Amino acid sequence: MSEQESIDSMNNFVPLPPIRLLLADDDSFIRESLKVLLGLDPGIRVTGTASNGHEALELLETGSPADVVLMDIRMPGCDGVEGTRIIKSRFPDVRVLMLTTFDDDEYIIQALQNGASGYLLKNVPPDRIIQGIKTVYNGDMLIHPDVARKLASLLRPTAAPQAQEPIDSYGLTRMELAVAVAISEGLSNKEIAAKLFLSEGTVKNYVTDILGKLSLRDRTQIAIFMLKNK
């Protein structure tokens, strides 16, 4: 590319629109603090705040668009678990990232099964939250390492071996299985590509094939499936 072509390319560059973010937390101080902190990132635009899951849904339905909902779990009226379920049922393309001080086993499993794309604890620094928002926006899943380890132990099958469908009966190839395992470890497509010496495009193709073979909705369900079948 010539110098003039490079200049023309820069002049024609159109910046990507910011991620539209909706905040849901029953603590007004936390809501406003997150709104200020996350709003400092030029790649994020906070479009609304809510005090529970019902309010978050109402905002989505009445013209406050969002690509990602950052949702607390324990909220009065409609908690984050139920909020995730109703939001994903009405707006399946909206990503939900759980952010909470609680790491209760029941909440973790229910939130992910209801369609949450990730789960972070509130003790992580703001830049980790920002990265988490961008991660789930890009279609990857994000689970706090402590939560991932707990999920692995909770979801291991306790039924007799003969009652468990063998993983190889689903027809996954060796590479598809490797990608599925990496997803269950919380790795992004970029990280999986580096680990398995593949291109990101190839990883995306594998994810699509895995979803089809396992009849699953998204990569979060792949992670849950793999954790159950380890």
Side-chain angles (χ1 to χ4, degrees):
M1 181 181 291
S2 67
E3 181 179 352
Q4 184 58 48
E5 287 174 328
S6 298
I7 294 174
D8 291 341
S9 177
M10 292 177 63
N11 290 336
N12 293 327
F13 173 74
V14 178
L16 294 175
I19 299 169
R20 298 170 300 179
L21 179 71
L22 179 63
L23 298 172
D25 196 300
D26 62 312
D27 188 317
S28 60
F29 177 76
I30 292 177
R31 283 201 309 272
E32 293 306 312
S33 297
L34 285 173
K35 182 178 179 179
V36 172
L37 287 172
L38 301 179
L40 294 174
D41 189 293
I44 295 175
R45 178 167 64 90
V46 179
T47 59
T49 61
S51 63
N52 60 38
H54 281 315
E55 286 188 13
L57 178 64
E58 288 174 2
L59 286 172
L60 290 172
E61 291 179 330
T62 56
S64 294
D67 302 301
V68 178
V69 177
L70 186 62
M71 180 117 66
D72 190 19
I73 277 195
R74 292 195 178 186
M75 297 180 289
C78 179
D79 63 22
V81 173
E82 176 63 11
T84 297
R85 187 191 67 77
I86 60 177
I87 286 173
K88 293 297 290 185
S89 68
R90 308 277 186 88
F91 300 91
D93 293 334
V94 172
R95 314 286 185 184
V96 179
L97 177 60
M98 312 307 297
L99 181 65
T100 180
T101 56
F102 301 94
D103 59 350
D104 304 76
D105 305 343
E106 180 183 355
Y107 287 115
I108 295 170
I109 296 173
Q110 289 182 354
L112 294 174
Q113 289 178 330
N114 283 352
S117 296
Y119 188 109
L120 283 174
L121 304 183
K122 285 182 178 177
N123 60 4
V124 300
D127 60 335
R128 180 73 182 278
I129 298 175
I130 290 172
Q131 186 57 50
I133 292 168
K134 295 178 179 180
T135 295
V136 299
Y137 171 76
N138 289 324
D140 290 322
M141 66 175 295
L142 182 70
I143 301 179
H144 191 283
D146 292 342
V147 175
R149 284 190 289 271
K150 183 170 292 186
L151 271 175
S153 62
L154 287 171
L155 294 177
R156 287 194 184 99
T158 56
Q162 61 268 24
Q164 186 69 30
E165 190 76 14
I167 189 70
D168 56 7
S169 69
Y170 291 92
L172 297 183
T173 66
R174 179 183 61 82
M175 189 57 74
E176 287 169 349
L177 183 59
V179 170
V181 169
I183 290 174
S184 73
E185 295 170 347
L187 299 186
S188 67
N189 284 347
K190 183 176 182 180
E191 292 168 331
I192 294 172
K195 180 179 180 179
L196 300 180
F197 304 102
L198 302 169
S199 69
E200 285 191 61
T202 299
V203 172
K204 290 179 181 178
N205 290 337
Y206 278 129
V207 172
T208 299
D209 291 341
I210 294 166
L211 290 172
K213 288 183 177 181
L214 301 182
S215 299
L216 300 176
R217 181 185 62 228
D218 52 37
R219 61 192 296 128
T220 304
Q221 289 193 343
I222 293 176
I224 293 174
F225 176 89
M226 294 305 299
L227 289 169
K228 284 181 176 179
N229 287 276
K230 275 188 176 182

